[in-house]
């Protein structure tokens, strides 16, 4: 039981932080399909930073692990500026530019990973090996039944994500910046009349999205494969999108959605182990989150309210 | 005629400015720009970009190579290019028609796998008469894709489900379930893909000996060309095409004008899905003959940008598909000849698509430049 909860939380929380980024982005009125690209690129930057600093600090350095998370954050943010440029400045169709940015990210990270491995580390490989991320146990909370499993030998990034999530929730709902951001998603012209720059708010939202997605991507790289390779593009970004749409663009409900995804996944794995089915059945388990999303969307879509100005480039003169 | 002094601006305006064949000119501008970018990357790696582009074209069979192995020539290379382009044309058309109706069909990848596996399982392993088997494959592709597309359109219309999210979910569900089916029943132990289909159902004539050459002849390519013109006709000359475009540009207005918005959307998605299904069968039962589990075909996503590069017109799609596939087919020859990484051509493709996404911005900018130019040359005392 403990392992189910532990596994599902390690899967759900990186997904959650990516979804928060998506909420920021879509909340400001920019369609977010580029999460997949951001998380991959973030993981690439993080993986590269890890490999680079491992030369000086050694593979097992704890500081290096945290440093790589920081670099993933920055890398995602920098890469997301391309998307910001396309969708804000160039007014390209946001869905299309999202898809293009995803493609660019896949191609660019594959190319850079091979090239950098070759020219800096002298290896013919397209992977960056990572160390195991440090884990942490909150001793005085472990003994609580069921809930204690959250705190038993959990990856440290889970706590970091919880902390960041609380801050981001506060910023989005309680600060003027967050209010303006959400207003940009519903009625950008109204925000402009109060003298604020819609495009700059949207730009910030996208960069926040990129940073959070990059961070989440690095967490996935640590928890799922302990290396950076092109297998990071496994659709987690899209799953995060499903999570926040299912959560009706609100952070709290999105957390529930992510936890549901995580639980259904790890319960499925445990079931297969229990029933002694061959490993090919894990494919069926992996469909569970997606099927659940579809079924739940079927019931909740009518009441789903997306930001009103979602997908429209901001035109000053439009009424 | 007023001339701009700044030479760069003059070039920019002449490519993207108003006038005849503007879309074509802007597309060419995007292509040149991305080739410039690609050259920069190649120069950074200290390779000669001209040789690189030449070998790309040679690898894709557009230019002759220096020497060929036995029973191969430029023609075999070119037929390979045509072979790989066929599914891309269908896929790009699928995006185009949905796009014109204001829908974005991301489910092309999933639909391709779906129709591919259905045709493989139902027809691929039987030994029917080649003519019957091949036509059955095409029909299965059309029907299965159409049903899937129609389902997405129906969900969108009936339940207001976001078609993008539904498409993404369906992509993953299909991809995993198909992987499960292949791994449990149809897996080839050596290649770890599905068992290769029989020749009778294959949509390509493989290894045909003609003129002393061994060639693969794609049978679906003429159909692809025909479909391009069919869709063009459908969108430009028929009532349905007009309704489709109207619904795409303003849903409320078309409802007010008495059009059946829901029906138009669902039918459009069905056509779009059917085209994606054709792409699927021509990809899995034409180019490859087997299905790789857990992999979504990259064509399913590339085609979105290809459609955009072709300015969301059927005929544009035809040319854009060829262009993008030249990059992909020439990859192995380029990397072996120059010793660069295999990832470079795909990087250049994505840069090309990045610029093509900005095409409308370029046009807008060129207009602004032109207007500014005209204003500045007007007599002062006006």
């Amino acid at each position: 039981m403990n392992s189910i909860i532990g596994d599902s939380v390690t899967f759900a929380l990186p997904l959650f932080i990516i979804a928060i980024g998506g909420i920021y982005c879509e909340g400001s009125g920019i369609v977010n399909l580029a999460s997949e690209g951001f998380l991959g690129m973030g993981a690439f930057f993080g993986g590269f930073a890890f490999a680079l600093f491992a030369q000086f600090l050694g593979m097992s350095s704890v500081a290096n692990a945290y440093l790589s998370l920081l670099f993933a954050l920055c890398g995602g943010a920098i890469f997301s500026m391309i998307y910001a440029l396309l969708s804000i400045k160039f007014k390209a169709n946001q869905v299309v530019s999202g898809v293009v940015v995803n493609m660019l990210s896949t191609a660019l990270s594959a190319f850079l990973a091979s090239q950098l491995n070759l020219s800096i580390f002298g290896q013919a490989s397209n992977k960056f090996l990572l160390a195991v991320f440090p884990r942490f146990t909150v001793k005085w909370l472990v003994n609580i039944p069921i809930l204690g499993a959250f705190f038993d030998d959990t990856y440290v990034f889970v706590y970091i994500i919880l902390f960041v999530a609380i801050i981001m929730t506060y910023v989005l709902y309680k600060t003027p910046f967050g209010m303006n951001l959400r207003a940009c998603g519903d009625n950008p012209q109204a925000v402009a009349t109060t003298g604020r720059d819609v495009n700059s708010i949207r730009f910030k939202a996208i960069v926040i999205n990129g940073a959070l997605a990059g961070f989440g991507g690095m967490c996935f790289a640590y928890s799922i494969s302990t290396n950076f390779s092109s297998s990071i593009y496994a659709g987690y970004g899209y799953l995060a999108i499903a999570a926040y749409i299912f959560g009706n663009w609100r952070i709290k409900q999105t957390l529930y959605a992510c936890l549901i995804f995580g639980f259904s996944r790890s319960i499925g794995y445990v079931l297969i182990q229990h029933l002694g089915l061959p490993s090919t059945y894990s494919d069926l388990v992996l469909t569970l989150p997606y099927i659940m999303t579809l079924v739940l969307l079927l019931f909740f879509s009518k009441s789903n309210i997306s930001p009103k100005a979602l997908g429209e480039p901001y035109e000053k003169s439009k009424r | 005629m007023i001339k701009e002094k700044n030479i760069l601006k003059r070039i920019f305006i002449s490519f993207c400015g108003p006038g005849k064949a503007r879309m074509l000119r802007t597309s060419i501008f995007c292509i040149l720009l991305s080739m410039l970018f690609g050259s920069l990357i190649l120069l950074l790696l200290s390779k000669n970009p001209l040789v690189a582009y030449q070998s790309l074209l040679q690898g894709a069979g557009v230019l002759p190579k220096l020497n060929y192995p036995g029973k191969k020539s430029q023609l075999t290379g070119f037929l390979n290019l045509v072979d790989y382009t066929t599914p891309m044309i269908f896929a790009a058309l699928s995006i185009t028609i949905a796009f014109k109706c204001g829908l974005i069909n991301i489910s092309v990848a999933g639909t391709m796998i779906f129709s591919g596996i259905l045709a493989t399982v139902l027809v691929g392993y039987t030994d029917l008469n080649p003519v019957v088997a091949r036509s059955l494959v095409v029909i299965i592709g059309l029907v299965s894709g159409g049903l899937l597309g129609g389902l997405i359109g129906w969900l969108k219309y009936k339940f207001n489900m976001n078609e993008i999210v539904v498409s993404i979910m369906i992509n993953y569900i299909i991809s995993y379930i198909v992987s499960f089916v292949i791994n449990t029943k149809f897996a080839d132990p050596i290649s770890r893909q599905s068992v290769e289909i029989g020749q009778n159902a294959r949509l390509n004539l493989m290894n045909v000996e003609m003129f002393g050459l061994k060639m693969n002849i794609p049978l679906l390519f003429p159909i692809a060309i025909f479909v391009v013109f069919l869709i063009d006709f459908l969108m430009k000359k028929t009532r349905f095409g007009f309704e489709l475009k109207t619904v795409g540009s303003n849903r409320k207005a078309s409802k007010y004008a008495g059009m059946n918005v829901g029906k138009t959307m669902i039918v459009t998605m069905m056509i779009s899905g059917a085209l994606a299904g054709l792409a699927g069968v021509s990809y899995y039962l034409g180019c490859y003959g087997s299905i790789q589990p857990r992999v979504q075909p990259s064509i399913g996503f590339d085609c979105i940008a290809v459609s955009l590069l072709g300015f969301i017109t059927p005929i544009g799609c035809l040319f854009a598909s060829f262009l993008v596939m030249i990059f992909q087919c020439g990859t192995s020859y380029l990397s072996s000849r120059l010793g660069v990484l295999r990832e470079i051509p795909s990087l250049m493709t994505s840069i090309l698509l990045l610029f093509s996404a900005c095409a409308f911005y370029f046009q807008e900018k060129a207009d602004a430049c032109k207007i500014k130019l005209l204003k500045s040359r007007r007599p002062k005392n006006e």
Side-chain angles (χ1 to χ4, degrees):
Chain A
M1 185 65 199
N2 274 11
S3 74
I4 294 181
I5 293 179
D7 278 352
S8 53
V9 168
T10 2
F11 182 76
L13 281 182
L15 203 64
F16 179 46
I17 198 89
I18 298 169
I20 292 180
I23 292 174
Y24 265 75
C25 184
E26 297 224 326
S28 79
I30 303 275
V31 174
N32 165 47
L33 268 188
S35 277
E36 182 82 2
F38 296 159
L39 82 87
M41 213 57 197
F44 162 75
F45 273 101
F48 175 59
F50 186 90
L52 198 63
F53 292 123
Q55 309 270 348
F56 315 113
L57 298 168
M59 272 301 271
S60 55
S61 157
V62 176
N64 197 0
Y66 294 117
L67 213 58
S68 69
L69 276 185
L70 191 67
F71 269 86
L73 193 99
C74 300
I78 292 168
F79 186 69
S80 67
M81 285 176 194
I82 296 180
Y83 182 59
L85 199 70
L86 280 177
S87 51
I88 296 173
K89 174 92 177 127
F90 291 167
K91 291 176 187 164
N93 182 312
Q94 289 166 7
V95 173
V96 172
S97 47
V99 172
V100 169
V101 163
N102 285 344
M103 284 164 55
L104 181 71
S105 158
T106 322
L108 195 66
S109 63
F111 166 67
L112 284 178
S114 302
Q115 189 68 44
L116 290 174
N117 255 324
L118 204 64
S119 47
I120 295 185
F121 308 117
Q123 297 164 323
S125 151
N126 57 1
K127 284 181 182 173
F128 293 119
L129 287 180
L130 302 172
V132 178
F133 201 79
R135 287 165 179 270
F136 186 68
T137 307
V138 186
K139 286 205 182 98
W140 40 279
L141 286 174
V142 174
N143 295 327
I144 306 171
I146 300 177
L147 270 183
F150 281 110
F151 304 102
D152 184 18
D153 206 23
T154 316
Y155 284 112
V156 177
F157 63 66
V158 169
Y159 304 113
I160 302 177
I161 287 174
L162 279 178
F163 179 66
V164 173
I166 291 168
I167 295 177
M168 295 320 271
T169 314
Y170 177 78
V171 170
L172 189 62
Y173 295 114
K174 302 287 176 199
T175 61
F177 172 72
M179 306 267 182
N180 285 326
L181 191 146
R182 284 182 293 138
C184 277
D186 282 332
N187 195 341
Q189 282 78 19
V191 177
T193 53
T194 63
R196 291 182 179 83
D197 187 352
V198 174
N199 284 341
S200 126
I201 292 175
R202 286 185 167 181
F203 181 83
K204 282 173 198 154
I206 291 180
V207 172
I208 290 173
N209 179 19
L212 293 182
F215 187 88
M218 196 62 205
C219 296
F220 273 130
Y222 272 116
S223 66
I224 287 176
S225 51
T226 49
N227 63 32
F228 168 81
S229 68
S230 55
S231 68
I232 194 77
Y233 298 98
Y236 303 129
Y238 294 124
L239 201 58
I241 294 171
Y244 68 72
I245 290 185
F246 175 40
N248 212 351
W249 288 271
R250 297 217 181 87
I251 291 184
K252 212 162 107 194
Q253 278 106 313
T254 304
L255 175 63
Y256 301 146
C258 291
L259 286 176
I260 291 174
F261 289 168
F263 274 112
S264 61
R265 199 178 123 108
S266 43
I267 286 174
Y269 273 126
V270 170
L271 262 184
I272 281 178
Q273 262 179 13
H274 233 68
L275 299 174
L277 295 170
S279 63
T280 46
Y281 281 80
S282 65
D283 283 329
L284 289 185
V285 172
L286 288 171
T287 58
L288 278 178
Y290 303 107
I291 293 177
M292 280 179 68
T293 315
L294 267 190
V295 173
L296 291 170
L297 276 180
L298 202 64
F299 294 112
F300 293 115
S301 272
K302 286 258 173 180
S303 60
N304 253 13
I305 307 155
S306 64
K308 281 197 196 78
L310 193 61
E312 291 172 14
Y314 169 62
E315 303 278 358
K316 258 184 212 157
S317 50
K318 211 186 138 197
R319 297 197 322 148
Chain B
M1 187 68 197
I2 307 158
K3 287 244 164 106
E4 170 77 39
K5 268 183 203 150
N6 187 336
I7 183 98
L8 281 177
K9 265 192 184 169
R10 214 155 91 193
I11 294 172
F12 179 59
I13 289 178
S14 62
F15 269 116
C16 303
K20 268 184 195 164
R22 186 175 186 192
M23 291 177 172
L24 185 67
R25 280 184 289 127
T26 319
S27 278
I28 292 172
F29 178 74
C30 294
I31 293 163
L32 289 179
L33 205 61
S34 58
M35 284 176 80
L36 205 69
F37 243 77
S39 310
L40 277 180
I41 297 173
L42 287 163
L43 281 176
L44 275 177
L45 299 168
S46 60
K47 307 284 180 202
N48 186 345
L50 288 177
V51 179
Y53 288 126
Q54 190 198 9
S55 41
L56 258 186
L57 291 176
Q58 285 172 335
V62 181
L63 289 178
K65 290 184 201 174
L66 295 172
N67 50 0
Y68 284 92
K71 298 202 170 175
K72 299 256 181 211
S73 80
Q74 192 194 340
L75 189 63
T76 43
F78 186 70
L79 278 177
N80 260 337
L81 171 69
V82 171
D83 185 11
Y84 287 109
T85 310
T86 311
M88 182 61 109
I89 295 173
F90 284 126
L93 282 178
S94 159
I95 297 288
T96 303
I97 192 161
F99 216 109
K100 284 276 178 197
C101 192
L103 300 162
I104 290 171
N105 184 7
I106 305 195
S107 65
V108 172
T111 314
M112 281 172 73
I113 307 177
F114 182 60
S115 57
I117 189 85
L118 272 187
T120 304
V121 171
L122 293 179
V123 186
Y125 300 136
T126 59
D127 27 68
L128 289 167
N129 175 327
V131 180
V132 179
R134 281 177 185 140
S135 33
L136 264 181
V137 164
V138 171
I139 290 169
I140 287 175
L142 273 173
V143 172
S144 60
L147 286 179
L148 199 61
L151 174 73
I152 295 171
W154 182 72
L155 286 176
K156 161 95 184 166
Y157 174 65
K158 195 83 186 170
F159 296 98
N160 185 29
M161 283 164 83
N162 186 328
E163 85 271 18
I164 295 167
V165 178
V166 174
S167 304
I168 292 167
M169 298 298 117
I170 283 183
N171 276 348
Y172 280 99
I173 293 171
I174 288 175
S175 148
Y176 283 126
I177 288 181
V178 166
S179 149
F180 170 72
V181 170
I182 290 173
N183 280 330
T184 42
K185 274 208 117 169
F186 303 104
D188 185 332
I190 300 163
S191 67
R192 295 184 152 251
Q193 304 187 350
S194 63
V195 181
E196 191 157 335
I197 55 163
Q199 284 307 315
N200 286 351
R202 191 91 188 239
L203 295 174
N204 281 9
L205 298 174
M206 302 300 288
N207 295 329
V208 183
E209 299 240 11
M210 235 197 286
F211 318 118
L213 299 169
K214 258 193 175 174
M215 300 185 285
N216 300 339
I217 298 174
L219 294 174
L220 233 50
F221 181 68
I223 299 179
I225 301 280
F226 172 70
V227 171
V228 165
F229 287 102
L230 188 73
I231 299 286
D232 195 44
F233 176 78
L234 180 80
M235 293 210 297
K236 278 187 186 151
K237 305 277 181 201
T238 62
R239 189 183 139 177
F240 176 72
F242 180 73
E243 283 186 357
L244 184 155
K245 282 186 282 187
T246 321
V247 170
S249 35
N250 193 335
R251 236 164 254 176
K252 279 177 189 155
S254 40
K255 193 170 183 184
Y256 182 71
M259 293 173 189
N260 189 340
V261 176
K263 194 185 121 202
T264 312
M265 263 158 56
I266 293 173
V267 173
T268 309
M269 277 308 281
M270 279 177 84
I271 298 175
S272 170
L275 288 168
L278 275 183
V281 290
S282 63
Y283 186 73
Y284 287 116
L285 286 92
C287 308
Y288 289 104
S290 63
I291 300 176
Q292 204 180 348
R294 269 205 189 190
V295 175
Q296 297 189 10
S298 63
I299 283 187
F301 299 98
D302 292 358
C303 61
I304 298 172
V306 166
S307 160
L308 204 76
L309 183 66
F311 273 94
I312 319 177
T313 55
I315 308 216
C317 284
L318 180 64
F319 292 105
S321 311
F322 263 107
L323 184 80
V324 168
M325 289 322 274
I326 284 175
F327 274 92
Q328 297 194 358
C329 288
T331 301
S332 50
Y333 188 65
L334 166 69
S335 64
S336 68
R337 192 167 164 211
L338 263 83
V340 293
L341 293 167
R342 295 184 61 88
E343 284 86 5
I344 286 191
S346 67
L347 184 63
M348 293 203 298
T349 320
S350 52
I351 290 173
L352 168 65
L353 300 176
L354 196 77
F355 282 123
S356 66
C358 311
F360 289 107
Y361 174 76
F362 289 147
Q363 292 188 344
E364 215 174 85
K365 202 81 195 160
D367 281 347
C369 277
K370 187 102 187 177
I371 290 168
K372 206 170 156 193
L373 184 67
L374 292 176
K375 269 187 186 161
S376 66
R377 296 302 162 90
R378 215 177 271 164
K380 282 268 156 56
N381 54 2
E382 196 178 339

